[in-house]
Every structure is written in C-alpha cells, then in structure tokens.
C-alpha cells in the first residue's frame, strides 16, 4: 500500500458509525432501541472492542458491526 494521508483515510470510528447506520435502516424500531443501548454500553462508554462483553446477543451485534465496519474501511481504502 502506498503512503496515504491519515486525514483522507476513513477512521475506525467513522466506519463503525456507518455500519451502525446501515444496520439501523434495516432494523425494527424495537431492535434499534436495543441496539442503541448495546452500542452505548459497548461503543460509547467503553472503547469499541468485540471482546468487551460475554452476552451472546451483544457479541452477535458487535461482531456484525465490527465485520461491516472493516468491509466499509476496505471499500474506502480501495476506492482511493
């Protein structure tokens, strides 16, 4: 990979937020409330880390968002 200005590359936080927005658009209102609570606990209060929780549902949500976030960053990196 060539040298890239860090200001031009998408940050991990930005890609996580984009993944969460995509997820929200395809979720029900109740799922969005539950996901917002999980996101606050796992993203806003504690640095986003897929090892933060042991709860199965939280882990599934975090893994989904983390995976999509990486895809979004890769797409962004490849488009530059």
């Amino acid at each position: 990979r060539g040298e890239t200005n860090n200001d031009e590359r998408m940050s991990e936080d930005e890609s996580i937020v984009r993944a969460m927005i995509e997820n929200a658009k395809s979720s029900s209102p109740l799922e969005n409330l539950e996901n917002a609570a999980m996101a606050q606990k796992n993203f806003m209060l504690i640095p986003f880390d897929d090892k933060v929780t042991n709860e199965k549902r939280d882990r599934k949500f975090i893994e989904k968002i983390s995976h999509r976030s990486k895809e979004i960053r890769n797409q962004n990196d490849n488009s530059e």
Side-chain angles (χ1 to χ4, degrees):
R1 187 185 287 189
E3 289 184 356
T4 305
N5 181 346
N6 284 338
D7 293 336
E8 294 174 7
R9 293 183 62 205
M10 182 180 298
S11 72
E12 183 175 6
D13 287 348
E14 181 180 356
S15 65
I16 289 170
V17 170
R18 287 184 183 204
M20 291 171 70
I21 290 168
E22 282 183 10
N23 186 71
K25 289 179 180 179
S26 64
S27 298
S28 73
L30 179 58
E31 288 171 324
N32 281 331
L33 289 173
E34 292 169 347
N35 291 342
M38 279 188 273
Q40 183 175 18
K41 178 174 72 173
N42 294 294
F43 177 57
M44 296 174 192
L45 300 178
I46 302 170
F48 193 77
D49 184 347
D50 59 5
K51 298 175 216 75
V52 167
T53 184
N54 291 327
E55 297 174 37
K56 185 177 180 179
R57 185 173 182 170
D58 282 13
R59 180 168 296 285
K60 184 176 178 181
F61 172 74
I62 291 167
E63 287 173 354
K64 176 181 178 180
I65 297 300
S66 180
H67 177 76
R68 182 62 185 132
S69 167
K70 289 174 188 171
E71 289 178 344
I72 290 169
R73 275 196 317 280
N74 288 338
Q75 289 172 354
N76 186 65
D77 288 349
N78 291 335
S79 69
E80 292 177 358

